[in-house]
Amino acid sequence: HVQLVESGGGPVEAGGSLTLSCAASGYANSIICMAWFRQVPGKEREPVAAFRADGGINYADSVKERFTISKDNAKNTLYLHMNNLKPEDTAMYYCVADSSFLKLWFQNPTYWGQGTQVTVS
């Protein structure tokens, strides 16, 4: 079965940088799209950045020009490079995956990691 394991979260000062990693395993051609979501307690989870099936990338407006999503196919690892972090970026960050980009970005991704906390102060 699909496993997504995030790492790299932690405390960081405002204006700082952090890179999250997501090691993926247990999938084959069923996974086309991978993304990062985040959630703050009491608020709905929101998509942050995603690879579409056509290879393009989507970013949430709130993170454009600050965050960069990338992947290493040889290592089956997804990354989220976060720069110029703001206190409002504080959240639990999740690695997610699905065979459908529309389902992943606009609905509810099928596969979720356990999350990694990012705290910006």
Side-chain angles (χ1 to χ4, degrees):
H1 64 284
V2 176
Q3 283 191 312
L4 304 171
V5 180
E6 304 95 334
S7 61
V12 61
E13 291 186 354
S17 300
L18 210 57
T19 294
L20 306 182
S21 300
C22 171
S25 63
Y27 67 93
N29 295 328
S30 60
I31 298 300
I32 299 175
C33 306
M34 296 187 71
W36 291 96
F37 270 56
R38 66 186 181 186
Q39 186 169 25
V40 176
K43 294 187 178 181
E44 289 192 4
R45 55 196 175 194
E46 60 176 352
V48 175
F51 278 104
R52 301 193 302 267
D54 63 1
I57 294 174
N58 270 41
Y59 289 104
D61 289 342
S62 58
V63 306
K64 283 180 180 177
E65 299 183 6
R66 297 190 302 120
F67 290 12
T68 302
I69 189 172
S70 67
K71 58 183 175 178
D72 185 332
N73 290 330
K75 295 182 179 179
N76 291 332
T77 301
L78 185 73
Y79 301 98
L80 185 66
H81 310 277
M82 305 183 291
N83 297 316
N84 190 22
L85 282 160
K86 304 175 181 180
E88 51 264 42
D89 294 318
T90 295
M92 184 71 79
Y93 284 73
Y94 296 93
C95 177
V96 302
D98 203 289
S99 59
S100 163
F101 173 75
L102 293 180
K103 184 174 183 293
L104 178 145
W105 192 259
F106 296 107
Q107 298 176 17
N108 184 25
T110 301
Y111 303 104
W112 290 77
Q114 84 288 350
T116 186
Q117 178 69 36
V118 173
T119 303
V120 186
S121 60

